[in-house]
Amino acid sequence: MRTIALIFRREFAAYFATPLAAVFLAIFLALAAGMTFFVAGFFDRGQADMSGFFLWHPWLYLVLMPAIAMRLWAEERRGGTIELLMTLPVRPWQIVVGKWLAAWAFAALALILTMPLWITVNMLGNPDNGVIFASYIGSWLMAGSFLAISACISALTKSQVLAFIGSAAVGFIFTMAGFDLVLAGLRSWAPPVVLDVVRSMSFIGNFQRITDGVLEVPSLIFFISLICFALWLNVRAIEVKKAA
């Protein structure tokens, strides 16, 4: 745990070594507020809740989470520092977990900075705070899933641009998995069990079930399992690199 903590501190501090952290946080807060108040019509709905705020999170994360994680390994490979990391007396999984936790903590900071909206909603009405809390948990887990996928893809390339594009593409597949547009293309040849599996892998579908106010076990298992699987693939990619 001490090794993971050291890597975590190093990576988390790296986000604030340049103004990019402040720029990212400002963009996230501006987009979240814009989507909530203008696109989702917060004031026009006449209802004090945060459904419009959480509605857009999968789409925001589709772009913003790869932007956070694209540098985790691509920058190490481009700068040649990954070879130095591999020579240290630490295990690859400790480095992978430490880097991912730093990115996840940064995403948590971005979410925490949106909590004045939660306070505002309570001042304007009587929202179901249990639903809001569950939605925040679900949003954070979904962010962790996006980040785990993005970190895994970042380990495969030296280019941050390619890491971003690849992460966004894979994230888009998971985001769109439950849409009728995708399922309609499968119904002509795929058996029902395949359709059910594809539908169950939808980020939006699982997140929406959580935003309904219930931390459903299947949705929680989905996000946690996806995080674990992506991190395992990340470890395998680093071990292959180390062996080479």
Side-chain angles (χ1 to χ4, degrees), residues 111-164:
L111 280 174
I112 289 171
L113 291 176
T114 67
M115 287 190 174
L117 178 60
W118 189 356
I119 297 172
T120 301
V121 168
N122 275 274
M123 293 174 63
L124 295 175
N126 296 298
D128 188 333
N129 288 307
V131 171
I132 296 176
F133 178 75
S135 299
Y136 266 108
I137 296 298
S139 180
W140 192 41
L141 284 172
M142 182 169 60
S145 299
F146 272 111
L147 289 170
I149 292 171
S150 300
C152 179
I153 294 176
S154 177
L156 302 176
T157 178
K158 296 180 180 180
S159 170
Q160 293 190 41
V161 174
L162 290 179
F164 175 84

Side-chain angles (χ1 to χ4, degrees), residues 12-31:
F12 190 72
Y15 284 110
F16 298 93
T18 67
L20 289 178
V23 171
F24 170 84
L25 292 173
I27 291 174
F28 175 77
L29 294 175
L31 288 176

Side-chain angles (χ1 to χ4, degrees), residues 64-99:
L64 297 180
M65 293 303 116
I68 293 177
M70 65 183 183
R71 55 163 291 278
L72 289 179
W73 291 102
E75 183 65 19
E76 300 279 10
R77 294 190 64 181
R78 187 187 65 82
T81 53
I82 190 171
E83 284 78 9
L84 176 61
L85 280 176
M86 293 300 101
T87 61
L88 296 176
V90 295
R91 296 183 178 181
W93 72 266
Q94 294 174 317
I95 304 175
V96 168
V97 172
K99 282 176 169 288

Side-chain angles (χ1 to χ4, degrees), residues 31-42:
L31 288 176
M35 293 293 188
T36 302
F37 291 111
F38 300 108
V39 179
F42 178 82

